[in-house]
């Protein structure tokens, strides 16, 4: 989207309010062995000039360049200390490190240059800022090729970073810059409609509002995502223009996802691994907090090994890496790390567990007798259905919940679904969640009933994909079939432990306004929802059992 687009923009927040120091072109050593070049101008293909900070080893030429691309500001002004619970140890990341980016003091000393731009329309750079757009992907292409031409660069460029710094890699890599040699997208959304701004068609208002405040520092205008969400509640051309062509990605890729980032990066990162065309692609899925895991010593060592192989032609361990590595979770920070050959796992056996309203249980057999139960849709009222496992059982992959549900007095229904693990005493087992929280459950799903239309081409028995193309209002009191996508997870249950399905009309995790978390405050709910089970209304859960 260019600045001539008819879509909505807002005036930027004055950069000084975000600690922006202003343009200050200079070149100076920050240590004996690292040179810092500040506010280097880079002209993009349309003549727009943006500014970048570059860190590189003193006295070394012919070094590969790593780019961290995001709108958060190349001047390090966001500290993980501001996010209690992030578990990034104080002082473990240097003061020169932009938010969610690689640490220059670490990487320059191993023979890499690092380039961090203020992207178009942000901070001191020219133009107007659009996010996740074709324009942004082309801009990143231009900067990749600019870096490759510099006399200090080996002509090989890589991309590295978390969250936005991962999301931006999908679009740039799909443009196929000639000198892009490898990417490490560390937890990055690929479908901003389904995974970021709307969940099952329900607006993700809390997170999007907080995020907008971080990306709005500009001397001109920035894309107004809140306005866009109001103007484009369906998956129309506005959102489709922000979908990267994942199949066009061919460069080597080390993709890292987590089971802990439901409501943001988990789904899209795993979808990318399935869809990109790279011959050399590796997937690692962990159960930890994403920032902590990115900066831990072993993760940095693996990042370097991967980039050394593809940017420095080092013959190293990467050639023997498993295609897929997953952590099967038992409890908080407890689990088994295991190598696999593919994702989803080929030996998955998808089983149905039927919801029984009379016993609030899950059964392997269809329920003969029709029964109903209702819950208040506007508070934390909920229905829960449990099954206790007789033997050790691993659930790894996609799940789906089919419900027959009626809104008693309304023409729509927002449905929130969760999977919980209960220990042998019936106590909830918590997991890390959303980078900073400790109260996560096994998996989450969402669906606005009026968005229930399925994409018949893309949907599978275990992963429904909704078109979000047309609204299908409910008739009050009349049950309809809803297929709720539950995001992928990996959880192990010992004999005597239980799986619980939660169904309710509000967020299962609720955090106070102002915290960075998913939150859906524009609800279509009113009154009660009634769940139908048994007889002609077989409501069931599909689970991914690993044989």
């Amino acid at each position: 989207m260019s600045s001539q687009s008819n879509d909505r923009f807002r005036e930027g927040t004055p950069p000084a309010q975000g600690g922006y120091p202003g343009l200050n072109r200079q070149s100076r050593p920050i240590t004996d062995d690292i040179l810092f070049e500040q506010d280097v101008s880079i002209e993009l293909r349309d003549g727009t000039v943006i500014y970048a900070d570059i860190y590189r080893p003193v006295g070394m030429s012919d070094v590969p360049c790593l780019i961290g691309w995001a709108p958060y500001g190349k001047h390090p002004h966001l500290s993980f200390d501001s996010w209690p619970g992030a578990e990034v140890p104080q002082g473990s990341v240097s003061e020169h490190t932009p938010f969610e980016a690689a640490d220059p003091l670490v990487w320059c000393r191993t023979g890499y240059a690092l380039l961090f731009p203020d992207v178009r329309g942000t901070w001191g750079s020219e133009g107007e800022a659009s996010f996740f757009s074709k324009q942004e992907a082309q801009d990143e292409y231009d900067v990749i090729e600019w870096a490759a031409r510099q006399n200090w660069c080996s002509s090989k460029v890589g991309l590295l970073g978390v969250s936005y710094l991962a999301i931006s890699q999908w679009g740039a890599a799909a443009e196929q810059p000639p000198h892009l040699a490898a990417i490490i997208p560390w937890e990055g959304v690929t479908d901003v409609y389904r995974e970021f701004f709307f969940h099952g068609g329900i607006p993700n208002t809390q997170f999007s509002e907080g995020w907008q405040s971080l990306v709005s520092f500009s001397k001109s205008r920035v894309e107004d995502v809140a306005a866009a969400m109001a103007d484009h509640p369906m998956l129309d051309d506005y959102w489709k223009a922000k979908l990267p062509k994942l199949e066009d990605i061919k460069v080597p890729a080390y993709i890292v996802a987590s089971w802990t980032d439901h409501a943001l990066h988990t789904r899209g990162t795993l979808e990318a691994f399935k869809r990109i065309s790279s011959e050399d692609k590796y997937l690692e899925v962990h159960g930890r907090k994403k920032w902590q895991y990115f900066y831990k010593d072993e993760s940095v060592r693996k990042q370097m090994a991967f980039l050394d192989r593809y940017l420095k032609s080092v013959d190293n361990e990467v050639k023997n890496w498993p295609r897929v590595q997953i952590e099967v979770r038992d409890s908080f920070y407890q689990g088994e790390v295991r190598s696999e050959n593919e994702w989803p796992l080929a030996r998955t056996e998808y089983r149905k567990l039927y919801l029984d309203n009379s016993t609030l249980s899950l059964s392997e057999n269809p329920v003969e007798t029709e029964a109903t139960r209702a819950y208040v849709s506007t508070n934390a009222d909920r229905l829960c259905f449990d099954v206790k496992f007789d033997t050790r059982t691993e659930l790894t992959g996609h799940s789906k919940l089919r419900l027959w549900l009626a809104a008693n007095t309304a023409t729509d229904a927002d449905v929130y679904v969760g999977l919980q693990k209960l220990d042998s005493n019936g106590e909830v087992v918590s997991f890390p969640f959303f980078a900073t929280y400790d109260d996560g459950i096994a998996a989450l799903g969402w669906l606005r009933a009026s968005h229930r239309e399925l994409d018949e081409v893309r949907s599978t028995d275990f992963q429904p994909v909704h078109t979000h193309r047309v609204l299908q209002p409910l008739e009050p009191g009349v049950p309809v079939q809803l297929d709720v996508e539950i995001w992928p997870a990996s959880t192990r249950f010992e004999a005597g432990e239980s799986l619980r399905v939660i169904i309710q009309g509000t967020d299962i995790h609720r955090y106070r306004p102002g915290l960075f978390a998913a939150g859906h405050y524009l609800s279509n709910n009113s009154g009660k929802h009634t769940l139908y089970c048994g007889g002609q209304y077989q409501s069931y859960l599909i689970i991914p059992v690993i044989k």
Side-chain angles (χ1 to χ4, degrees):
M1 183 176 62
S2 70
S3 59
Q4 285 73 42
S5 168
N6 290 324
D7 285 304
R8 297 180 66 172
F9 281 73
R10 63 196 291 175
E11 292 300 319
T13 303
Q17 294 184 21
Y20 179 62
L23 290 177
N24 182 26
R25 298 181 183 87
Q26 61 170 323
S27 179
R28 60 181 176 86
I30 56 170
T31 65
D32 290 343
D33 53 355
I34 299 175
L35 179 69
F36 173 52
E37 296 178 280
Q38 186 174 5
D39 289 320
V40 177
S41 62
I42 301 174
E43 184 174 333
L44 306 174
R45 67 184 68 181
D46 64 354
T48 298
V49 175
I50 66 172
Y51 297 94
D53 289 349
I54 300 172
Y55 299 82
R56 53 191 182 90
V58 169
M60 292 182 65
S61 59
D62 201 35
V63 296
C65 180
L66 304 180
I67 296 175
W69 186 279
Y72 301 131
K74 57 184 175 58
H75 63 294
H77 66 107
L78 295 171
S79 169
F80 292 112
D81 297 341
S82 301
W83 278 273
E87 298 183 11
V88 178
Q90 190 170 16
S92 63
V93 179
S94 81
E95 63 181 351
H96 302 283
T97 307
F99 185 54
E100 300 185 319
D103 188 338
L105 295 195
V106 173
W107 285 85
C108 287
R109 287 171 175 153
T110 61
Y112 286 90
L114 277 73
L115 186 156
F116 303 117
D118 282 337
V119 303
R120 179 191 294 261
T122 66
W123 304 97
S125 290
E126 297 177 0
E128 295 182 337
S130 63
F131 306 113
F132 318 112
S133 63
K134 177 75 168 180
Q135 176 75 74
E136 185 173 41
Q138 291 174 342
D139 289 351
E140 192 167 359
Y141 176 113
D142 292 350
V143 173
I144 291 167
E145 293 305 298
W146 179 92
R149 293 193 299 269
Q150 303 311 297
N151 57 15
W152 46 261
C153 185
S154 66
S155 80
K156 289 191 175 181
V157 178
L159 305 177
L160 171 63
V162 185
S163 192
Y164 201 108
L165 288 82
I167 301 169
S168 59
Q169 294 181 45
W170 309 124
E175 294 291 311
Q176 300 181 357
H179 292 94
L180 180 61
I183 60 174
I184 303 182
W186 202 278
E187 308 203 36
V189 161
T190 53
D191 185 329
V192 296
Y193 180 88
R194 292 183 173 93
E195 298 155 9
F196 192 135
F197 296 112
F198 296 85
H199 294 137
I202 307 170
N204 182 15
T205 44
Q206 179 167 339
F207 187 81
S208 60
E209 289 170 0
W211 176 82
Q212 178 83 63
S213 69
L214 290 182
V215 300
S216 293
F217 295 99
S218 174
K219 294 180 178 179
S220 57
R221 300 193 303 165
V222 301
E223 188 174 7
D224 190 334
V225 177
M229 292 174 70
D231 292 346
H232 303 274
M234 309 300 289
L235 181 50
D236 59 12
D237 288 343
Y238 172 81
W239 299 109
K240 289 177 182 177
K242 296 180 181 296
L243 300 178
K245 296 180 179 179
L246 295 172
E247 288 77 10
D248 289 348
I249 298 176
K250 299 180 180 180
V251 294
Y254 172 29
I255 298 172
V256 177
S258 73
W259 310 124
T260 63
D261 221 44
H262 281 212
L264 193 56
H265 296 306
T266 301
R267 180 189 188 272
T269 313
L270 293 168
E271 288 299 301
F273 179 78
K274 290 193 289 186
R275 291 175 53 192
I276 68 172
S277 301
S278 308
E279 290 186 12
D280 293 353
K281 61 179 181 179
Y282 303 91
L283 174 65
E284 181 175 335
V285 196
H286 64 90
R288 314 299 166 117
K289 296 179 181 180
K290 62 178 174 240
W291 295 329
Q292 177 244 37
Y293 197 74
F294 177 73
Y295 289 108
K296 65 182 292 189
D297 290 345
E298 176 60 14
S299 294
V300 174
R301 189 194 68 77
K302 292 185 71 174
Q303 296 160 19
M304 286 185 178
F306 179 80
L307 293 169
D308 282 352
R309 178 163 179 81
Y310 293 104
L311 274 67
K312 294 183 177 180
S313 301
V314 176
D315 185 11
N316 61 16
E317 67 184 71
V318 175
K319 65 183 179 183
N320 298 318
W321 278 6
R323 177 57 64 95
V324 174
Q325 177 181 292
I326 65 171
E327 180 177 4
V328 183
R329 298 191 295 176
D330 293 313
S331 59
F332 198 102
Y333 284 176
Q334 299 295 318
E336 173 195 0
V337 176
R338 191 175 68 219
S339 298
E340 296 288 348
N341 296 318
E342 71 287 308
W343 176 264
L345 307 190
R347 65 185 187 281
T348 306
E349 178 183 285
Y350 294 98
R351 297 181 188 171
K352 289 182 181 179
L353 297 175
Y354 293 86
L355 280 63
D356 188 336
N357 265 330
S358 62
T359 60
L360 292 176
S361 64
L362 298 166
S363 169
E364 292 184 355
N365 300 313
V367 177
E368 293 184 2
T369 303
E370 179 182 323
T372 62
R373 281 187 185 262
Y375 61 89
V376 178
S377 69
T378 54
N379 58 27
D381 195 16
R382 58 174 55 172
L383 297 177
C384 296
F385 299 82
D386 295 356
V387 61
K388 182 177 291 187
F389 293 106
D390 296 327
T391 60
R392 172 183 276 198
T393 303
E394 177 188 330
L395 306 183
T396 296
H398 300 269
S399 299
K400 181 181 84 172
L401 184 61
R402 172 165 291 180
L403 300 176
W404 285 93
L405 187 117
N408 293 8
T409 59
T411 59
D412 210 346
D414 292 345
V415 180
Y416 298 79
V417 172
L419 301 184
Q420 278 184 328
K421 177 179 177 177
L422 308 181
D423 66 18
S424 58
N425 295 317
E427 298 296 324
V428 174
V429 177
S430 295
F431 299 98
F433 179 58
F434 218 75
T436 62
Y437 303 109
D438 297 338
D439 59 348
I441 61 176
L444 294 170
W446 312 257
L447 184 62
R448 175 163 283 179
S450 60
H451 286 239
R452 66 188 178 275
E453 180 185 63
L454 291 173
D455 184 327
E456 299 294 348
V457 174
R458 296 180 60 191
S459 295
T460 66
D461 288 342
F462 54 84
Q463 186 183 14
V465 179
H466 301 91
T467 66
H468 303 289
R469 183 182 60 189
V470 296
L471 290 176
Q472 297 180 327
L474 303 181
E475 183 178 343
V478 177
V480 297
Q481 176 184 300
L482 305 178
D483 284 347
V484 182
E485 177 186 9
I486 299 174
W487 284 20
S490 182
T491 311
R492 183 161 50 199
F493 299 79
E494 299 296 338
E497 296 182 327
S498 299
L499 170 68
R500 169 171 289 171
V501 178
I502 301 168
I503 304 166
Q504 63 186 64
T506 57
D507 280 304
I508 292 172
H509 299 94
R510 292 182 67 86
Y511 304 101
R512 65 172 175 80
L515 290 181
F516 273 86
H520 308 80
Y521 297 148
L522 297 179
S523 175
N524 277 0
N525 285 342
S526 64
K528 291 185 175 182
H529 295 167
T530 296
L531 176 65
Y532 289 68
C533 298
Q536 64 177 318
Y537 300 110
Q538 294 296 332
S539 294
Y540 59 80
L541 173 71
I542 291 181
I543 56 173
V545 179
I546 303 304
K547 296 181 289 184

